[in-house]
Amino acid sequence: MSPIMGVIFDLDGCLVDSEPLSLEAIASEMRRLGIEDATAQEIGDKFLGVTMPVITDYVADRLGAPVPKDFADRVETQLLATYQTELRQISGAPELLRGLNAQGCAMAIATGGSLKRMAATLEISGLASWFAGTASSAAEVAQGKPAPDLFLLALERLKLRPADCVVLEDSPHGVKGALAAGIPAIGFVGGSHLKGKRGTHAAILRDAGATHVFERLEDVGRHILPHRNEPQR
């Protein structure tokens, strides 16, 4: 196996345990609009890893009317307020990033969140310094996941080829987007939003094309880092 020169991370659910907070913020705003049975599980089951415009279209269908123009802004405002006290790193994130950096492995972010949310998430979680100049948001490309655009932007910022990199994703949409960009994808099911359904979700990620699926970031590191030391042939 060729050495992995760069790792492109999905942010939410892979490095920060933010998905439960995000899903609940969306469901809360749906209930405020009158969709009283809206739940975080409903949104997670249908739309994990997709961009807000796709979710907004779904909310409009559920509502039977256009969604207020400030819906996405209200979700984000609620979410970022919650982040101040409740956002946590995924266990093992700093150790993984330090290990990759020590081996000279480049790192990037490819997230479906807005630029504002991406910046706030990285700053509040204490991860911003690892991704200076290499964090990419779906807001910067024509199409979000599962299109390849976001991953191609990340590659451009890393100045690496698809074959030199691997993507870490917790969403089948992200796995498909990575593969569409020509980048191998590893699945991750360690986020708390997948508690009780890790096996089922791992199968979904494999079906989407993930080569391996891990529940712990420590195991992700063990999978990636040994290949860095293999001799070139």
Side-chain angles (χ1 to χ4, degrees):
M1 179 175 177
S2 299
I4 293 171
M5 305 304 295
V7 180
I8 302 172
F9 292 94
D10 178 40
L11 181 56
D12 299 291
C14 286
L15 291 177
V16 294
D17 202 15
S18 55
E19 287 292 3
L21 307 178
S22 176
L23 298 174
E24 180 52 39
I26 295 167
S28 175
E29 285 301 314
M30 289 174 67
R31 293 191 294 269
R32 191 185 67 82
L33 292 177
I35 308 173
E36 296 180 359
D37 61 344
T39 65
Q41 181 175 340
E42 170 191 1
I43 301 302
D45 288 346
K46 293 179 179 292
F47 299 112
L48 185 66
V50 304
T51 58
M52 184 57 73
V54 176
I55 296 173
T56 301
D57 289 343
Y58 171 77
V59 175
D61 287 340
R62 287 273 271 125
L63 188 61
V67 172
K69 292 182 179 180
D70 67 346
F71 177 80
D73 289 339
R74 290 181 65 89
V75 169
E76 190 167 85
T77 297
Q78 180 183 154
L79 183 60
L80 296 185
T82 304
Y83 276 7
Q84 297 295 331
T85 56
E86 297 187 34
L87 183 64
R88 300 288 184 271
Q89 295 178 1
I90 296 284
S91 176
E95 292 82 3
L96 174 60
L97 298 178
R98 282 197 295 269
L100 292 172
N101 182 67
Q103 291 292 328
C105 192
M107 298 176 286
I109 293 290
T111 178
S114 69
L115 283 164
K116 178 181 177 181
R117 176 176 167 186
M118 178 178 72
T121 303
L122 289 171
E123 189 64 35
I124 294 168
S125 66
L127 298 175
S129 62
W130 295 108
F131 302 101
T134 61
S136 300
S137 159
E140 299 177 275
V141 296
Q143 298 182 82
K145 305 170 188 179
D149 306 31
L150 183 55
F151 296 103
L152 293 173
L153 177 60
L155 285 174
E156 180 181 330
R157 289 176 172 167
L158 287 175
K159 297 180 173 58
L160 292 173
R161 301 172 303 168
D164 294 328
C165 297
V166 68
V167 167
L168 185 69
E169 269 284 354
D170 71 329
S171 159
H173 304 288
V175 170
K176 291 175 182 178
L179 297 181
I183 313 170
I186 297 172
F188 183 69
V189 294
S192 64
H193 62 295
L194 296 175
K195 185 177 180 180
K197 54 181 181 181
R198 301 193 199 282
T200 300
H201 197 73
I204 291 171
L205 294 177
R206 290 190 185 95
D207 287 345
T211 59
H212 300 78
V213 180
F214 298 105
E215 186 175 329
R216 303 189 310 159
L217 289 181
E218 292 89 339
D219 295 327
V220 173
R222 292 188 187 98
H223 174 73
I224 294 173
L225 291 172
H227 303 308
R228 298 281 305 161
N229 298 319
E230 290 183 356
Q232 294 279 358
R233 295 182 180 179

